[in-house]
Amino acid sequence: MAPRRHVQGHVFTRLCKTQAQESKGFDLGEFQKMMETDPETEYNESLWNRFCLAAFRTMVRKESGIKSDLPGYKGLMEESRNFMINATQPEQTKMVYYLMSLIFDPLKPIWEFALVPKNKDPYPWTPAIMSIFTPFFMDFLVGPSKPNLRPEDGSLGGMKIEKCRWLEEANCKGMCVNQCKLPGQEYFYEGLGLPFVMKPNFTDKTCQWSFGKHPLPVDDDPDIPKGCLRGCPTKLMPVYDDDKGQGWI
């Protein structure tokens, strides 16, 4: 669960800028450490996935200003959790939204030519195309997934994550909603013109994606549980504060 902010905004911003400046420059040894495998994981840690993970962690570190000494995916989890406890929900969502823009904005000419014309509705085939190609590019972050029919209308354009690695290892509703669901939905619609729904299942850790469909507001979404998940490690941290009972907000 994402707590209320525990540091003043200007202090946190200055800390992030200072740490980001210190992290400039490519460190091959550090990059290789971020590519280290986790011998305990059941997820695919191919060379491609480990490279994508290290590249993604490098971007997250630069924007959040937070660094973990842990290798591989465990380090990403620690960095993301520490960022969450020091940032508001809008700050978390804004940071991930910005990261997505860095990745996808350079591809917009191709995107607008083939999938979603600028200032127009998506082509009819766009949701199906996205459900086919997205699993390959997201495997490093969320684990195996495959195309399926959208549950909302039974049409092509759905994708089911068999067990979301991000949600399983974080076991935190706040990290799922603030750093994945909300920024993903917002960027695909506002930045790319494609409505998009993420429906995480907090019980079995699956996640249904529906390209071409509009999401419900989080407060009206019956699939988002109230309160912390059982065993949430964030709630156990000494700095966690949820006295107002607002959970992920």
Side-chain angles (χ1 to χ4, degrees), residues 136-168:
F136 173 75
F137 294 102
M138 293 301 296
D139 187 71
F140 82 96
L141 190 60
V142 300
S145 58
K146 57 185 178 182
N148 68 354
L149 299 179
R150 297 185 307 210
E152 294 87 351
D153 57 10
S155 299
L156 296 175
M159 189 190 90
K160 183 70 170 288
I161 300 173
E162 299 171 9
K163 184 190 289 185
C164 179
R165 184 176 188 180
W166 179 271
L167 179 54
E168 182 182 38

Side-chain angles (χ1 to χ4, degrees), residues 16-35:
C16 287
K17 288 182 177 179
T18 300
Q19 291 181 331
Q21 290 170 353
E22 292 175 351
S23 66
K24 287 183 178 179
F26 181 73
D27 186 331
L28 179 59
E30 190 69 20
F31 195 84
Q32 290 175 329
K33 183 177 181 180
M34 289 190 286
M35 287 183 63

Side-chain angles (χ1 to χ4, degrees), residues 46-194:
S46 65
L47 180 62
W48 167 253
N49 279 358
R50 289 185 287 121
F51 174 82
C52 289
L53 175 63
F56 183 70
R57 276 189 68 181
T58 300
M59 297 176 67
V60 171
R61 284 180 170 190
K62 182 177 180 181
E63 299 307 320
S64 70
I66 294 175
K67 177 181 176 181
S68 167
D69 291 329
L70 293 176
Y73 205 92
K74 289 188 184 324
L76 175 63
M77 285 287 100
E78 184 171 80
E79 289 163 354
S80 300
R81 185 171 288 111
N82 285 335
F83 178 62
M84 188 185 74
I85 64 175
N86 285 294
T88 61
Q89 181 272 316
E91 286 173 335
Q92 296 172 63
T93 300
K94 182 178 179 180
M95 190 272 282
V96 179
Y97 185 106
Y98 178 66
L99 288 180
M100 295 183 70
S101 72
L102 292 179
I103 296 170
F104 290 105
D105 281 4
L107 302 175
K108 272 192 175 180
I110 299 174
W111 176 270
E112 292 173 353
F113 173 77
L115 298 171
V116 183
K118 188 174 183 178
N119 299 323
K120 295 183 180 180
D121 291 336
Y123 290 121
W125 57 79
T126 298
I129 294 295
M130 290 300 297
S131 71
I132 293 171
F133 286 97
T134 301
F136 173 75
F137 294 102
M138 293 301 296
D139 187 71
F140 82 96
L141 190 60
V142 300
S145 58
K146 57 185 178 182
N148 68 354
L149 299 179
R150 297 185 307 210
E152 294 87 351
D153 57 10
S155 299
L156 296 175
M159 189 190 90
K160 183 70 170 288
I161 300 173
E162 299 171 9
K163 184 190 289 185
C164 179
R165 184 176 188 180
W166 179 271
L167 179 54
E168 182 182 38
E169 298 210 13
N171 194 34
C172 176
K173 185 177 71 174
M175 287 178 65
C176 172
V177 174
N178 302 338
Q179 298 182 24
C180 189
K181 177 179 168 65
L182 288 180
Q185 292 178 166
E186 290 178 11
Y187 179 75
F188 266 90
Y189 185 55
E190 297 173 5
L192 299 176
L194 178 65

Side-chain angles (χ1 to χ4, degrees), residues 231-244:
C232 173
T234 308
K235 190 174 180 66
L236 300 177
M237 297 180 75
V239 295
Y240 183 83
D241 179 12
D242 192 28
D243 290 339
K244 295 185 178 180

